[in-house]
Amino acid sequence: MSGPLEGVRVVDMTMNVMGPYAAQILGDMGADVCKVEPPEGDTLRGVGPSRSRGMGPYFINLNRNKRSLALDLKKEQGSAVLRRLLRQADVLLYSFRPKAMERLGLSYAEVAALNPRIIYCGTFGYGQSGPYADKPAYDDLIQTAIGIPVLQARGLGEPTYIALAIADRAVGMMGASAIGMALYYRERTGKGQAVEVPMFESMAEFVMGDHLYGKTFDPPLGPTGYVRMMDKNRKPYRTSDGHVGVLVYNDKHWKRFFTAVGRDDMARDPRYVTIAGRTENIGFLYDFLAETLMTRTTEEWLAFFRENDIPAMRLTTPDELLEDEHMAAIDFFKTVDHPTEGRIRMMDIPQTWSASQPGIGSLAPRLGQHSAEVLASYGFSKPEVAALLADQVIHTEGAG
């Protein structure tokens, strides 16, 4: 593996989406990620269609560049194995509630006693100093708790969730970022530390950065909710034969648009010549756009927007995205041979680095595929590994 985190050892004690996504980012960046799974495996292994048991699409797309160690932590020998790993690891990433880690004998104090340089990072539901500390957390619950369904409804119809694990993935990225910065701090100071990345607070900041709005001020200068984003017509516009996304945004965009559609009067109207005026009148402008765009075809509007240098994109379905010309040109959706699952479609790493380009060294592993290999790389002898397999402390494909 190459990448900026080459040589960094990560013990990944996470399941489902948020933690595995954070760990996959670290693996993509070159870290050696050991995914510690219970003997029954990560719950997400069973989600979606699959060719082999435990190798569903959700799991495959969250767990590349990792090695799987199936370890029974209910056995004292399993806990001892994990502690040996932690003595040599650079990072412990977990997604259990902190009290669960304490019950496992893996509190920060206990792990730091084994390895003072370790970065001990928890991605879990709620900050531990508030009354929600012990609540369970899932993406839908966090979306509910921070008001995303209400924002999605825009005052119309029923509150709805975003059709993405938005909280899991956003906080997963934040967790990976926090680990990278903690490693940088350790390089400068030699000191490890505990880092907590709670979903509730992280997503509250993520969402309210847009929507604190008038209540940024005390006393308030208006309500919460960025009016442009909250307007019912902030959506792809219907054309005479489909839909198009367009963002007529700055002064030049609007002036060009008004002039090109024969509304010079609006181009001179003080209500629309500045972003402040347009924000106050955004509802009328979005209604105007919606009515105007229905008069031509999608292709006609896309050509119009290109000619007038106004940002626009065709409305694309997920299936169409797979065939998108830009994605095809950069070979983003690659078709590759998985060692056990046959031909699969894989997404490329979306970043480019001039000196330490990350890469994809391995695809998502079968449960326990690397149990013996991981332990050997952490210094376990062949007789020790054989004994752990015999006692069903570790499991691997075809054993245990």
Side-chain angles (χ1 to χ4, degrees):
M1 281 295 295
S2 61
L5 294 183
E6 185 177 4
V8 172
R9 283 182 159 182
V10 178
V11 173
D12 170 20
M13 293 182 63
T14 69
M15 295 176 67
N16 297 315
V17 179
M18 177 174 57
Y21 187 48
Q24 179 173 273
I25 293 170
L26 300 176
D28 285 353
M29 294 298 113
D32 175 10
V33 179
C34 168
K35 181 177 178 69
V36 179
E37 299 187 68
E40 63 273 18
D42 187 329
T43 304
L44 228 62
R45 283 183 175 275
V47 175
S50 63
R51 292 175 178 142
S52 303
R53 184 167 177 257
M55 292 298 287
Y58 222 151
F59 180 85
I60 286 174
N61 289 313
L62 282 166
N63 290 282
R64 69 185 178 198
N65 283 334
K66 302 180 187 180
R67 298 189 290 173
S68 173
L69 165 62
L71 181 64
D72 191 347
L73 290 175
K74 294 177 182 178
K75 297 181 177 180
E76 180 55 38
Q77 293 162 287
S79 295
V81 167
L82 182 60
R83 287 179 173 81
R84 279 183 66 174
L85 268 59
L86 294 175
R87 287 190 181 96
Q88 301 175 56
D90 296 287
V91 177
L92 169 60
L93 174 61
Y94 68 93
S95 58
F96 305 108
R97 280 172 278 183
K99 286 187 177 178
M101 295 295 284
E102 291 175 9
R103 288 194 295 271
L104 289 170
L106 295 171
S107 68
Y108 175 60
E110 291 166 304
V111 173
L114 297 172
N115 181 355
R117 286 174 52 82
I118 201 164
I119 306 303
Y120 179 95
C121 182
T123 56
F124 44 80
Y126 304 89
Q128 295 301 288
S129 58
Y132 295 171
D134 295 332
K135 281 181 174 287
Y138 292 91
D139 191 277
D140 289 0
L141 300 183
I142 296 299
Q143 286 199 43
T144 301
I146 61 175
I148 285 179
V150 174
L151 295 170
Q152 284 291 99
R154 294 188 175 94
L156 303 171
E158 289 294 313
T160 59
Y161 296 123
I162 294 174
L164 294 170
I166 185 70
D168 279 329
R169 291 186 181 275
V171 180
M173 286 190 287
M174 294 177 196
S177 173
I179 288 169
M181 288 184 275
L183 287 168
Y184 176 71
Y185 178 81
R186 192 186 71 179
E187 288 303 300
R188 291 193 297 112
T189 67
K191 297 178 181 178
Q193 62 181 302
V195 180
E196 296 184 354
V197 188
M199 295 177 75
F200 183 51
E201 292 91 324
S202 297
M203 287 303 295
E205 191 273 342
F206 188 83
V207 170
M208 294 300 278
D210 286 328
H211 292 292
L212 190 55
Y213 211 58
K215 289 194 175 179
T216 297
F217 305 94
D218 187 14
L221 298 183
T224 56
Y226 179 15
V227 291
R228 185 181 76 81
M229 293 185 179
M230 295 296 295
D231 191 273
K232 69 183 188 308
N233 277 323
R234 182 181 176 258
K235 58 186 178 180
Y237 294 102
R238 187 179 294 279
T239 64
S240 64
D241 66 347
H243 292 81
V244 65
V246 58
L247 189 58
V248 190
Y249 188 70
N250 63 31
D251 297 350
K252 291 180 180 179
H253 294 156
W254 280 106
K255 184 175 181 179
R256 290 183 196 131
F257 183 77
F258 289 141
T259 300
V261 298
R263 292 299 304 268
D264 286 298
D265 59 313
M266 295 181 72
R268 297 188 300 270
D269 192 315
R271 291 174 295 178
Y272 313 130
V273 297
T274 67
I275 192 169
R278 290 191 298 273
T279 300
E280 291 180 7
N281 295 280
I282 198 66
F284 172 81
L285 287 174
Y286 277 171
D287 285 340
F288 173 73
L289 280 172
E291 293 173 7
T292 304
L293 266 64
M294 289 182 68
T295 63
R296 306 184 193 181
T297 67
T298 298
E299 285 301 327
E300 288 172 335
W301 279 119
L302 289 172
F304 170 91
F305 292 132
R306 281 195 300 271
E307 291 166 6
N308 289 278
D309 195 24
I310 295 172
M313 289 294 285
R314 180 192 308 277
L315 179 64
T316 300
T317 68
D319 287 306
E320 290 168 342
L321 182 61
L322 297 178
E323 309 299 328
D324 179 85
E325 62 178 346
H326 179 87
M327 293 301 195
I330 64 173
D331 196 23
F332 184 77
F333 293 104
K334 302 175 184 293
T335 303
V336 298
D337 289 309
H338 189 284
T340 63
E341 306 312 302
R343 296 291 282 175
I344 66 169
R345 184 174 282 111
M346 177 191 73
M347 290 171 282
D348 202 358
I349 296 171
Q351 303 174 5
T352 56
W353 295 58
S354 66
S356 56
Q357 178 62 36
I360 298 172
S362 62
L363 302 176
R366 297 292 295 269
L367 175 61
Q369 178 179 336
H370 305 101
S371 293
E373 176 186 311
V374 166
L375 295 192
S377 70
Y378 275 81
F380 285 73
S381 68
K382 287 184 178 180
E384 286 179 307
V385 172
L388 290 167
L389 278 169
D391 292 340
Q392 295 193 335
V393 176
I394 64 171
H395 300 255
T396 190
E397 288 294 321

